[in-house]
Amino acid sequence: MNDLNLDYTLFIPEFMLAGLVVLVVGVDLFLPQLRKAWLSWIAASGLLITAAISLAWIDVESDFARVVAIDNYTTYFRVLFIGIAAVICIASGRYVEDRLRHPGEYYALVILSTIGAIGMAASRELMTAYLSLELLSFSLYILVSYAKFDSRSNEAGLKYLLLGAFSSAMFLYGMSLIYGLTGSTYYDDIAASLGSTDATDIDFALLMGLVLIVAGLGFKVAAVPFHMWTPDAYEGAPVTVTAYLSTTSKAAGFALLLRLFSGAFEVVHDDWSWMIAGIAAATMLLGNLVALQQSNIKRLMAYSSVGQVGYMLMGIAGLSHDTASALVLHLTGYMFTNLAIFVVIIAWTHMTGSEGIDDMRGMRERAPLLAGVLAGALFSLAGLPLFAGFVTKFILFQAATDAGYYWLAVIGVVTSVISLYYYLQIMRQAFVSKPEDGAEPLRVPLEMQGLAALLMLAVFYVGLYPQQLFDAVDNATSFLFV
């Protein structure tokens, strides 16, 4: 047996997050007069302090008992996931104050799911990856059904739970086949075993194992045909939870896909790349074409996010250091953009009580800052110049063509043009249509204005000055291919 490194100091950020869970629940229980007004800020402050301390692990390369890697890739996603959770906590303040009796549990679930997401990015062993994935998933099942007096939320939570359990079973079955084939659950041992085995003897078992693992993870990132839960979960969940679903859930799924496929399955790239490429094409086409038919902003964003998953899968299909860097850069730009859009949607729905796209008419006159941020973020999602989406898609498509997937890049460009049409329909309502008679200008909460402006600056930063971020991403993904 090899010596195992059991250095618990590697998990100081995760211990701090666990302590923050206890703190927010304790404040909620014992200081009820403070809990609604201050809990969002207590949670967000704790998260931001943890993110800052996580930076101390930059350029550290170590592992814990071979099951968890602490390197720049893990540190990058640690900071990204914790930052997303902080934004969600601040954006949830008004919802929590108006709707929830026990807000401490809500913030605790957001922080617990963040620990699960970090575990997915850091895992170097299948069971560790599975346990991290379930920690994230169970927190999300509860959060989706958190509006317990809303039948849509209950229905969404039940569907999400049932389909999630089914996908977990497929992932576990795939893991068992891989273990039976290679005799190990460690990524590096799996790669060594697959690299030294006569592939003709294991083709079918390997293929089945890969199909089941891709199906299980395909559900988590909402890839076609495993996307069925997405529109109902997005529509039924409280809008703040929808924002969280559209960001951390997807980013964690792709962080795990990259770590797993580069660590364990890169040696059999030819056995699975065609499958991922086919799923990517179907996901881009279906997500963007069905989004054309939507009239509810949350359902439209659900199908839009499905289409975006297709672009990201291109980076997995042509897996290499270059495509991995392109994928993580695009993922980061997408996180900033999606958070900006959902901050606008959260503020708008809380002030107007409406989720219909037609009901966004006159946003420019009633809430000009929100309308401006919405326009910029939608242009970014469509991939127009100056915004994050343009440069990150350009680098991603370039990496896909360098890997030989010209046809996927063409589909990506065509579906990006299609997506521009339905994004423009939203902007038509916000900027061209007049508000209803008697509609007054809205007083947007100061914290929502600040968040929207800050996220929009991040979108512009990635779009105009991507080199610094790309260098950081490229350094982080280099640890995947050692």
Side-chain angles (χ1 to χ4, degrees):
M1 181 177 177
N2 297 327
D3 291 336
L4 297 178
N5 177 21
L6 299 178
D7 183 2
Y8 289 94
T9 61
L10 296 172
F11 295 130
I12 286 176
E14 284 71 35
F15 292 149
M16 291 181 65
L17 293 177
L20 188 59
V21 169
V22 176
L23 177 65
V24 293
V25 173
V27 170
D28 186 23
L29 283 175
F30 300 111
L31 297 170
Q33 69 277 15
L34 289 178
R35 64 186 188 188
K36 289 194 174 183
W38 292 99
L39 264 185
S40 66
W41 293 104
I42 292 172
S45 301
L47 286 162
L48 292 175
I49 291 170
T50 308
I53 290 175
S54 299
L55 297 175
W57 276 264
I58 289 178
D59 292 334
V60 170
E61 185 176 5
S62 186
D63 68 85
F64 184 87
R66 295 183 62 212
V67 299
V68 171
I70 304 297
D71 51 28
N72 283 357
Y73 184 78
T74 299
T75 302
Y76 184 87
F77 278 103
R78 256 181 181 167
V79 174
L80 183 65
F81 291 142
I82 294 173
I84 292 171
V87 171
I88 295 297
C89 286
I90 295 172
S92 299
R94 181 60 62 88
Y95 167 77
V96 166
E97 195 171 342
D98 292 347
R99 308 286 178 82
L100 301 185
R101 293 179 59 190
H102 300 291
E105 299 169 5
Y106 174 88
Y107 294 116
L109 287 168
V110 170
I111 299 166
L112 278 175
S113 62
T114 301
I115 297 174
I118 295 170
M120 290 169 68
S123 62
R124 292 178 62 185
E125 191 265 341
L126 287 173
M127 283 306 298
T128 308
Y130 175 75
L131 292 174
S132 301
L133 187 150
E134 289 303 290
L135 178 58
L136 171 67
S137 299
F138 274 86
S139 303
L140 292 176
Y141 298 151
I142 300 169
L143 286 170
V144 167
S145 55
Y146 220 76
K148 60 183 179 183
F149 298 115
D150 184 343
S151 59
R152 293 184 311 166
S153 181
N154 296 331
E155 180 185 344
L158 184 60
K159 285 181 179 176
Y160 191 32
L161 171 64
L162 293 175
L163 290 172
F166 183 62
S167 72
S168 291
M170 288 194 291
F171 186 70
L172 273 176
Y173 193 20
M175 282 171 49
S176 68
L177 287 174
I178 297 299
Y179 175 75
L181 197 63
T182 62
S184 178
T185 56
Y186 293 91
Y187 296 174
D188 46 359
D189 289 346
I190 292 171
S193 176
L194 292 177
S196 62
T197 306
D198 182 0
T200 57
D201 295 333
I202 59 172
D203 271 354
F204 182 72
L206 176 62
L207 181 62
M208 285 304 299
L210 289 170
V211 166
L212 290 168
I213 286 177
V214 167
L217 292 179
F219 171 88
K220 301 302 176 188
V221 300
V224 173
F226 316 108
H227 68 288
M228 299 81 75
W229 60 275
T230 315
D232 291 334
Y234 272 49
E235 185 180 10
V239 65
T240 53
V241 177
T242 306
Y244 193 54
L245 265 182
S246 73
T247 49
T248 290
S249 177
K250 280 189 171 44
F254 277 100
L256 174 56
L257 274 168
L258 271 178
R259 178 78 83 174
L260 175 60
F261 278 75
S262 63
F265 302 130
E266 189 188 11
V267 292
V268 288
H269 182 256
D270 292 342
D271 288 284
W272 53 263
S273 60
W274 57 270
M275 178 169 52
I276 301 291
I279 292 173
T283 303
M284 284 187 282
L285 288 168
L286 187 140
N288 285 296
L289 290 174
V290 179
L292 292 170
Q293 310 297 320
Q294 304 306 311
S295 58
N296 179 291
I297 186 67
K298 288 162 76 178
R299 290 187 77 87
L300 183 143
M301 290 306 299
Y303 282 108
S304 166
S305 75
V306 171
Q308 293 286 338
V309 167
Y311 306 137
M312 298 174 199
L313 284 173
M314 286 195 293
I316 304 292
L319 187 64
S320 68
H321 182 196
D322 291 340
T323 58
S325 300
L327 169 57
V328 175
L329 182 70
H330 181 67
L331 197 58
T332 307
Y334 176 70
M335 296 297 107
F336 290 146
T337 304
N338 233 32
L339 282 173
I341 290 178
F342 271 102
V343 165
V344 172
I345 296 173
I346 290 168
W348 183 260
T349 53
H350 282 173
M351 291 185 295
T352 65
S354 174
E355 298 173 357
I357 294 172
D358 290 345
D359 297 322
M360 300 177 84
R361 66 173 72 95
M363 183 187 287
R364 180 182 63 85
E365 296 178 29
R366 302 185 67 193
L369 175 65
L370 295 186
V373 171
L374 179 71
L378 290 175
F379 281 143
S380 179
L381 279 185
L384 296 188
L386 303 181
F387 301 95
F390 172 76
V391 69
T392 61
K393 274 187 182 178
F394 179 80
I395 293 173
L396 185 60
F397 292 172
Q398 188 179 42
T401 54
D402 289 345
Y405 287 100
Y406 296 96
W407 60 279
L408 268 183
V410 170
I411 293 175
V413 172
V414 171
T415 51
S416 291
V417 175
I418 293 172
S419 71
L420 182 60
Y421 175 79
Y422 59 78
Y423 294 141
L424 286 175
Q425 296 304 309
I426 302 173
M427 291 179 57
R428 183 170 66 86
Q429 294 297 336
F431 283 83
V432 179
S433 300
K434 294 293 181 185
E436 292 180 353
D437 293 340
E440 299 289 335
L442 297 169
R443 296 183 62 183
V444 183
L446 195 59
E447 71 273 15
M448 300 304 281
Q449 294 188 52
L451 271 183
L454 191 64
L455 289 165
M456 200 62 237
L457 286 175
V459 171
F460 274 118
Y461 171 74
V462 177
L464 296 174
Y465 306 103
Q467 189 62 50
Q468 194 172 10
L469 181 61
F470 182 77
D471 290 342
V473 166
D474 199 50
N475 177 274
T477 55
S478 67
F479 287 81
L480 299 174
F481 300 91
V482 293

